[in-house]
Amino acid sequence: MKRMGSPALRRAVQRYGTAAALVVIVLAFSAIRPGSFCTLKNFINITRQISLLVVISLGATMVMSVGEFDLSVGEMASLGGVMAAQLAVAGAPMAVCFTLPVLAGAAVGVVNGLAAARFRGLSFITSLGVSTILSGVVYRLSGGATVFENIPKSFSVLGTARLGQLPLLSVLMAVFVLAFWFLMRHTAAGRRLYAIGGGEEAARVAGIRVKRYKVLAFVLCAVMACVTGMLIASRVGSANTTAGDGYFLKAYAAVFIGCTASRRGVPNVLGTLLGAAILGVLANGLTMLQTPSYLQDILTGGIIILAVAAQRLGKEDAQ
């Protein structure tokens, strides 16, 4: 009985434990702060708070789905925000302000993808080098100063507008989640990305153009990081040279947590959304409790370790 029950319990915890953890966290904060936490207004606020994390985490999900890492996402977000803000200050049309940085992000993604796929470099090393280059580029563009003077009000529409009671950022988050979920679940490209992550050599033997799809994953990652940076700048009405730094660790934390919601322990879009929700609810509740920021970092790090362990557990059970 013990041998039969233990694996079944492990599978149940691995499959439903992440969602259950979110429910427990919500119930706990609701009991502690029922008048402030457990309100529709606060839950809508949480969707706005996690929207930017979800957007950048979706890109990280793409790269991790092919078994790679992109450590340049934080600097890419900073570059996207600075470029968009400077274009707005120069008087460029808003369409140009939000398009040129995306093209720059796509170019960076191609570089990262080629380094990992064509030249078979370790992606976390090559992307770290690209991150250092981007840091220098951001400093050169901004002179190390925050871009905030003469930014037109129209630049802040995406980050501050509302559709009824819902912030536009929350709506954009939902649109991106649906788009990437459809890509990964209902398109040939998504199935090929997962095939590469499951075994690169087997995917190559099956006729999948591994290099092409790895580059695609890195391009999507860089573009989503760039979009995140532009939305950050639009939301606060300025562009800081280090605006994206705080999203790097949390983005991969969301993806790793999301892996535990998958039966096979692989990166997945809905799991990433769930992971970001856990981090967002936790941060929101701890802020209400006036918990020091360093303790929030400790808890986030602990959650990442638990998520990695749970992901490994899920893969062992799937074998």
Side-chain angles (χ1 to χ4, degrees), residues 120-252:
R120 296 182 178 275
L122 294 175
S123 58
F124 64 91
I125 296 296
T126 55
S127 61
L128 181 61
V130 171
S131 176
T132 304
I133 294 173
L134 293 179
S135 177
V137 173
V138 171
Y139 187 87
R140 175 66 181 83
L141 289 175
S142 64
T146 300
V147 181
F148 65 93
E149 292 184 352
N150 300 320
I151 292 182
K153 291 184 178 180
S154 57
F155 181 76
S156 299
V157 171
L158 284 179
T160 60
R162 303 179 74 89
L163 296 178
Q165 290 187 335
L166 289 177
L168 181 56
L169 285 177
S170 301
V171 176
L172 290 174
M173 173 189 71
V175 170
F176 280 125
V177 168
L178 287 174
F180 277 85
W181 173 81
F182 184 83
L183 169 67
M184 298 303 289
R185 287 293 299 271
H186 296 287
T187 68
R191 290 190 289 271
R192 289 165 183 167
L193 291 174
Y194 275 132
I196 294 171
E200 187 174 324
E201 290 303 321
R204 186 174 286 107
V205 171
I208 296 175
R209 304 184 71 170
V210 174
K211 294 177 182 178
R212 172 180 294 185
Y213 284 98
K214 276 198 172 185
V215 171
L216 172 63
F218 275 97
V219 167
L220 290 174
C221 182
V223 166
M224 295 307 288
C226 183
V227 170
T228 302
M230 293 189 296
L231 292 177
I232 294 172
S234 177
R235 177 181 171 184
V236 301
S238 63
N240 193 289
T241 56
T242 59
D245 292 356
Y247 287 87
F248 164 68
L249 176 61
K250 291 181 179 179
Y252 282 101

